[in-house]
Amino acid sequence: MSKLPSFAAFGNGLYTGKRSYNFVGKARLWFFIAAAAVVLSILIPVAKGGFNLGIEFRGGSEFTVSNVSNTDVSRGEEAVAEVAGTADPKVTNIAPGTMRIQTEKLSDDQTIEVKESLADTYGVSQEEVTSTFIGPTWGSDVSRQALVGLVVFVALAAVLMALYFRTWKMSVAAVVGLLVVMVVTAGVYALSGFEVTPSAIIGFLTVLSYSLYDTVVVFDKVRENTKDLDKRTKRTFAEEVNLAVNQTLVRSINTSVVAVLPVASILFIGALLLGAGTLKDLSLALFVGIILGTVATIYIAAPLYAVLRRNEPDIRRQAKRVAERRAAEAKTPAAVHA
């Protein structure tokens, strides 16, 4: 109980400016870290030979075995190897008592033989083994549509933010933060080795929406703080931006925690502990992206907006007035603050 008032006091101190973290002042450091993370995220899939594409993107044959008592993946691999040794099977326990086996494209005869082999190996009837085939054309269509959706989303987000905030510089800062989230999330996904599936793409696009929402909340406070800036001499433009980030910091953290907790439950409890493999791709993209979306808004988007505007004539004149006022106060400490 004693921690609640202290946390409330912490948030109140951030809002009033009595307590402040210098996010904007250390912009170069954050940009360097972000650039390093982006470069590393690009190199990871290159070093690993690309992403681990799911069958929906690369095409192939898929078998689902239900009511399995022994979920040992090696048994499924051996069953496929007996029929098609070069099929490169990927066997996954996607749910309790259910196995999924994905292979390269098999002929009709091989498909029938693999189905029989899987039924014998796992001790189930052939009716409990289903098979499907996904062609590479369908996978390329999914990839193209996902890319088109991504480009359209980013373009619309940039235009709408420019119209809403009435400045293209806020839009640019938001989109740069969004791109950092996209690339780093993809890099973490590649590092994990999880398959890239349609569910992962859906989670990825959901993350972009969440990241944009958090950025809009912070930028709305920035706009409020910098309104009628030419009449103010208490803080410079960069300091007003930094104050806005601090004022919304608690809200950003709370929102992220509330969003991450159920996703973490799906990822660590549902997918890793209970073996619900179909949830891993979606939950990992959401888990990483939600955290990065909040971080990118605080450390990339807001500081970048301050940097983009710092050389504007009005901003420089206002900063000069603030400096003159502070110099005058330093000479007369007893002066009343304007």
Side-chain angles (χ1 to χ4, degrees):
M1 296 297 290
S2 60
K3 293 183 178 180
L4 294 178
S6 62
F7 185 74
F10 171 76
N12 183 67
L14 290 174
Y15 194 86
T16 59
K18 294 180 179 179
R19 178 193 299 269
S20 179
Y21 296 99
N22 192 15
F23 297 108
V24 174
K26 297 180 180 179
R28 288 186 179 181
L29 174 61
W30 313 140
F31 296 164
F32 175 79
I33 294 174
V38 167
V39 171
L40 187 61
S41 298
I42 294 174
L43 292 177
I44 287 174
V46 172
K48 297 189 67 174
F51 290 92
N52 181 17
L53 298 178
I55 193 173
E56 295 86 358
F57 295 98
R58 68 178 188 271
S61 300
E62 180 175 279
F63 301 86
T64 303
V65 186
S66 305
N67 298 323
V68 175
S69 58
N70 186 341
T71 58
D72 184 6
V73 297
S74 62
R75 303 185 67 180
E77 294 172 349
E78 293 171 0
V80 175
E82 290 176 0
V83 177
T86 61
D88 189 24
K90 294 184 178 180
V91 184
T92 309
N93 179 207
I94 59 175
T98 303
M99 304 298 294
R100 182 183 66 191
I101 299 91
Q102 297 178 336
T103 70
E104 298 177 356
K105 180 181 177 180
L106 300 176
S107 66
D108 293 341
D109 291 339
Q110 286 178 319
T111 299
I112 295 174
E113 292 179 15
V114 168
K115 185 176 180 179
E116 294 174 350
S117 179
L118 288 171
D120 293 339
T121 299
Y122 284 109
V124 298
S125 64
Q126 293 190 24
E127 287 73 19
E128 292 174 313
V129 182
T130 60
S131 62
T132 57
F133 170 73
I134 300 175
T137 302
W138 189 88
S140 63
D141 289 341
V142 172
S143 302
R144 184 174 61 255
Q145 291 173 5
L147 181 60
V148 170
L150 178 62
V151 172
V152 171
F153 175 87
V154 174
L156 286 177
V159 172
L160 290 175
M161 289 197 69
L163 293 175
Y164 179 72
F165 291 111
R166 300 179 182 178
T167 170
W168 62 269
K169 292 183 179 180
M170 263 192 180
S171 179
V172 168
V175 170
V176 169
L178 205 62
L179 292 175
V180 171
V181 174
M182 290 166 51
V183 175
V184 178
T185 301
V188 173
Y189 202 94
L191 182 63
S192 71
F194 285 11
E195 284 189 344
V196 178
T197 65
S199 296
I201 300 300
I202 292 172
F204 191 68
L205 294 175
T206 303
V207 162
L208 299 184
S209 301
Y210 176 86
S211 176
L212 191 63
Y213 164 78
D214 193 59
T215 302
V216 169
V217 170
V218 175
F219 277 4
D220 217 29
K221 191 62 180 176
V222 170
R223 182 174 60 173
E224 178 184 330
N225 286 4
T226 56
K227 184 180 180 181
D228 299 326
L229 186 70
D230 58 330
K231 300 178 182 178
R232 303 183 184 184
T233 59
K234 186 175 182 180
R235 298 183 184 89
T236 65
F237 176 80
E239 290 169 346
E240 291 288 3
V241 173
N242 194 72
L243 176 63
V245 176
N246 279 273
Q247 288 175 324
T248 55
L249 183 61
V250 172
R251 176 176 178 175
S252 296
I253 294 174
N254 287 340
T255 304
S256 299
V257 170
V258 170
V260 162
L261 283 177
V263 176
S265 299
I266 296 174
L267 178 61
F268 295 107
I269 299 177
L272 300 183
L273 296 182
L274 300 182
T278 53
L279 301 175
K280 293 193 298 184
D281 44 11
L282 173 65
S283 56
L284 179 65
L286 289 174
F287 181 79
V288 175
I290 288 174
I291 296 174
L292 290 178
T294 302
V295 172
T297 298
I298 297 171
Y299 292 96
I300 305 299
L304 180 58
Y305 177 59
V307 170
L308 289 174
R309 294 199 58 185
R310 66 183 176 185
N311 290 324
E312 293 180 7
D314 292 343
I315 301 299
R316 294 174 68 92
R317 285 194 293 267
Q318 192 268 344
K320 184 178 179 180
R321 290 196 299 270
V322 172
E324 291 173 349
R325 174 183 177 276
R326 290 175 177 173
E329 287 182 352
K331 294 178 181 178
T332 57
V336 179
H337 291 275

